[in-house]
Amino acid sequence: MPHPNPTPRQIHSSGPLRGRVAVPGDKSISHRALMFSALAVGESRVEGLLEGEDVLATAAALRAMGAEIERGADGIWRIHGVGVGGLLQPQGALEMGNSGTSTRLLMGLIASHAITAAFTGDASLTKRPMGRVIEPLSRMGASFTSYPGGRLPLILRGTNPAIPIDYTLPVASAQVKSAVLLAGLNTPGITRVIEPIATRDHSERMLRGFGATVEVENSPAGRIIAITGEAELKPQRIVVPGDPSSAAFLVVAATIVPGSDVIVENVGLNPTRAGIFTALRMMGADITELNPREVGGEPVADLRVRHAQLKAIEVPAELAPSMIDEYPILFVAAAFAEGRTVARGAHELRVKESDRIAAMAAALGACGVETQEYEDGLAVQGNGGEAIAGGGTVATQLDHRIAMSMAVAGLYTRAPLTLDDAAPIATSYPIFFESLDKLRGTNAMQPA
């Protein structure tokens, strides 16, 4: 089924981007801030929470299980938690919309509670694999009835007490890791996750901040994260840094549009998330970190970005875990580089909100950019910094990152391009077009 209100949008090329802009709060941290606060006893306060559809789906699900979650007139979210083990039986299905993070992490949260929950989602989410979470949570004692292929809709029957496990991740996935750790919060004993390739570590950082006992060590098998169960979480005051995934769109926009000079404020630069900026610098991007600091336990800086001529690279596969969500916008940057950029080792792109490899190959192809598709990535032939042809209609595939990436590509085209549906952008960056228009000093992105 399509998004409830498809919104075609035409993107026109215009002049340079100038000025300062702040991006919304980090989506990964926002999800976790709500979940951990819902398991603490007392009132937690969260500033800078991303108020996109995905995060609001998490808040609604937690309310359905007993947490009190309200946004104050001051923009601060106040959460009164139920305590670890205190989640209540929801009275209806948990509607996850487009959010894979909400779904997988909440599955972990519920798995070690003696309650039953049904999960549903939109057409995009129901295509995404949940078996990678079902498998370890089943080992811990939870049971599942899912749509064929381990997909939504599904029913989860939690168990208490759950069984602690040692689990080695078969694929690099912070969502699977976090799901197992969250199940371990209410499980007697020690639950361990071994990740051969390190993934984003927001869960470990924030769980420690809430008072959980989390130990991390490196071993020949990989990074071992151990959580002691039956934890007591203490309420916290959290400041959410700006989302590096959202910032990446503005950074690439300023890089490819001649004459641009932009400062993107308050960008989270956790090293497990900042691979996109490493890759762009390898291509020659002019990105300077200003006022480096720490916000909510996370490294943060303002990024000054000026237009630069990019050169093609072979993207190191080891960067994939730290930039997996940013590959679509990297492919856009590659379209404006000199030479042929090759990015491989990113199989996970096939099972995101869309098949992002196929979706971006089709989207760039519709705008005159030559690509070569691999099972695990994409090669993009750049045009040496000139405007791309544009003129096509892009199928955004209900995927917010495809839509935003191609909107950025449309900032420097010979003919306007059209997004068939810009509505999914609201899942992660509701003010995306307002941010771009602020930097452009115009409103050149009109409904089609």
Side-chain angles (χ1 to χ4, degrees), residues 155 203 223 314 318 321 332 401 403:
I155 296 174
S203 292
R223 191 166 170 267
E314 185 165 331
E318 57 267 25
V332 168
R401 299 201 194 280

Side-chain angles (χ1 to χ4, degrees), residues 299-372:
V300 167
D302 303 327
L303 299 182
R304 183 179 184 186
V305 190
R306 287 171 280 199
H307 168 66
Q309 176 58 60
L310 300 179
K311 294 188 179 298
I313 62 168
E314 185 165 331
V315 181
E318 57 267 25
L319 284 180
S322 65
M323 57 175 287
I324 195 67
D325 288 329
E326 287 74 64
Y327 274 91
I329 192 60
L330 178 73
F331 297 149
V332 168
F336 293 89
E338 180 183 330
R340 186 172 184 264
T341 295
V342 180
R344 303 195 63 176
H347 300 82
E348 191 72 7
L349 295 175
R350 294 286 186 187
V351 291
K352 289 290 188 177
E353 283 85 336
S354 67
D355 178 340
R356 287 179 173 165
I357 295 172
M360 284 303 297
L364 289 170
C367 296
V369 178
E370 179 185 334
T371 66
Q372 180 180 352

Side-chain angles (χ1 to χ4, degrees), residues 68-247:
E68 296 179 17
I69 304 175
E70 299 295 337
R71 183 190 189 277
D74 54 4
I76 297 174
W77 288 73
R78 292 167 173 81
I79 302 98
H80 290 267
V82 297
V84 172
L87 294 178
L88 303 178
Q89 173 68 46
Q91 297 306 301
L94 303 179
E95 173 55 59
M96 297 290 97
N98 190 242
S99 182
T101 302
S102 301
T103 306
R104 294 185 177 121
L105 269 61
L106 286 170
M107 286 168 65
L109 208 62
I110 295 169
S112 54
H113 289 71
I115 61 178
T116 298
F119 289 83
T120 61
D122 71 7
S124 171
L125 186 60
T126 57
K127 296 177 183 177
R128 299 183 67 182
M130 297 299 157
R132 57 182 58 181
V133 179
I134 290 172
E135 196 269 332
L137 297 180
S138 296
R139 290 193 197 180
M140 300 180 76
S143 62
F144 298 84
T145 302
S146 69
Y147 197 74
R151 301 176 192 274
L152 267 57
L154 65 77
I155 296 174
L156 183 166
R157 298 171 185 86
T159 186
N160 185 262
I163 303 164
I165 61 171
D166 289 1
Y167 186 70
T168 300
L169 295 178
V171 295
S173 171
Q175 292 180 5
V176 177
K177 171 180 68 176
S178 297
V180 176
L181 293 176
L182 287 176
L185 270 177
N186 196 41
T187 299
I190 298 176
T191 298
R192 296 180 180 87
V193 178
I194 301 96
E195 49 178 13
I197 301 173
T199 64
R200 60 185 64 177
D201 63 355
H202 302 305
S203 292
E204 299 95 300
R205 288 174 182 253
M206 196 176 295
L207 282 168
R208 282 200 194 103
F210 274 85
T213 300
V214 179
E215 297 180 355
V216 180
E217 63 175 291
N218 293 315
S219 77
R223 191 166 170 267
I224 302 174
I225 306 100
I227 187 164
T228 301
E230 299 180 307
E232 292 185 12
L233 302 189
K234 301 175 179 61
Q236 300 294 309
R237 181 178 179 274
I238 299 169
V239 179
V240 180
D243 193 321
S245 297
S246 297

